[in-house]
Amino acid sequence: MNPDLDHHFTQIITGLGENVEREGLVKTPYRAARAMEFLTQGYHQSLDELVNDAMFESDNDEMVIVRDIEFYSLCEHHVLPFFGHAQVGYIPDGRVIGLSKIARIVDMYARRLQIQENLAREVAEALQRVTAAKGVAVQMDARHMCMMMRGVSKQNAEMSSSVMLGTFRESVSTRNEFLQLIRRRPA
């Protein structure tokens, strides 16, 4: 825990014109600091430690997709939340990764001050690095509180971003198969 964060949150709350000695705010600087540490814990995680040797030999060379991985992040421009779902696919080349590790990779990069475009790229490149897959695809849809709570105040606007690496970038049919499969909803 960084004790300076409590102090900084005290200054922010006081700077907004509030009294941090008021009953409802007495512990708020501490709670806000702990919340910020949790929401940005991705800075203190390592990809190699996260994957933790959860790579397995496999003859499978067909597309593997994990859909609807929810994520929560903070916009690096306003430090306001954005949240949504990621669809992650890859084509193995002799090795597969443990299923939960894909969601953990999404979380690790989401738990940093971010923009969605970079988040999608970081997830794709990390998965490519650890799997040496023939290709990786990441598609993300998110709602951004910086657009909903301030500025243009658009409640239903949703941002989509995608990154295609390897065969997903090179082959239109592979890319289209991925896009078709992530849109299909289970019965």
Side-chain angles (χ1 to χ4, degrees):
M1 287 195 290
N2 182 343
D4 290 339
L5 286 179
D6 292 15
H7 172 71
H8 294 304
F9 274 104
T10 298
Q11 289 182 312
I12 291 168
I13 293 167
T14 302
L16 294 172
E18 265 290 359
N19 175 5
V20 292
E21 300 302 319
R22 182 168 64 78
E23 181 183 9
L25 293 176
V26 171
K27 294 184 180 179
T28 297
Y30 172 81
R31 288 189 300 260
R34 298 303 76 77
M36 187 58 71
E37 286 180 329
F38 177 81
L39 294 173
T40 59
Q41 65 186 318
Y43 289 117
H44 306 291
Q45 294 176 305
S46 140
L47 183 61
D48 294 331
E49 288 175 13
L50 184 141
V51 172
N52 193 23
D53 298 323
M55 296 296 304
F56 309 100
E57 288 186 29
S58 174
D59 293 336
N60 179 40
D61 62 356
E62 298 294 328
M63 193 178 302
V64 175
I65 298 174
V66 183
R67 284 195 315 229
D68 296 327
I69 303 167
E70 71 270 7
F71 67 87
Y72 306 89
S73 193
L74 293 173
C75 161
E76 68 184 37
H77 300 135
H78 303 100
V79 194
L80 289 173
F82 68 95
F83 54 93
H85 289 89
Q87 328 303 325
V88 179
Y90 72 104
I91 299 177
D93 191 12
R95 294 169 51 91
V96 295
I97 188 170
L99 176 62
S100 70
K101 301 305 182 181
I102 295 173
R104 291 181 191 279
I105 289 169
V106 171
D107 283 346
M108 182 179 80
Y109 289 103
R111 296 295 187 179
R112 300 173 182 194
L113 298 179
Q114 269 297 2
I115 60 173
Q116 184 176 332
E117 300 90 334
N118 290 351
L119 175 57
R121 173 144 313 273
E122 289 171 348
V123 169
E125 290 175 349
L127 188 58
Q128 177 67 49
R129 189 181 119 214
V130 297
T131 64
K134 294 176 184 175
V136 174
V138 175
Q139 191 275 328
M140 295 183 150
D141 296 308
R143 291 180 180 257
H144 293 249
M145 297 306 281
C146 57
M147 270 193 64
M148 297 170 74
M149 292 178 66
R150 55 164 300 285
V152 296
S153 298
K154 299 301 177 204
Q155 304 307 303
N156 298 310
E158 189 173 88
M159 180 179 171
S160 291
S161 57
S162 67
V163 173
M164 306 288 171
L165 303 176
T167 56
F168 288 97
R169 185 173 192 85
E170 297 157 5
S171 168
V172 173
S173 64
T174 303
R175 182 171 46 252
N176 286 340
E177 179 183 353
F178 171 75
L179 294 172
Q180 181 181 5
L181 288 170
I182 65 172
R183 284 178 177 72
R184 191 190 100 247
R185 296 291 176 220

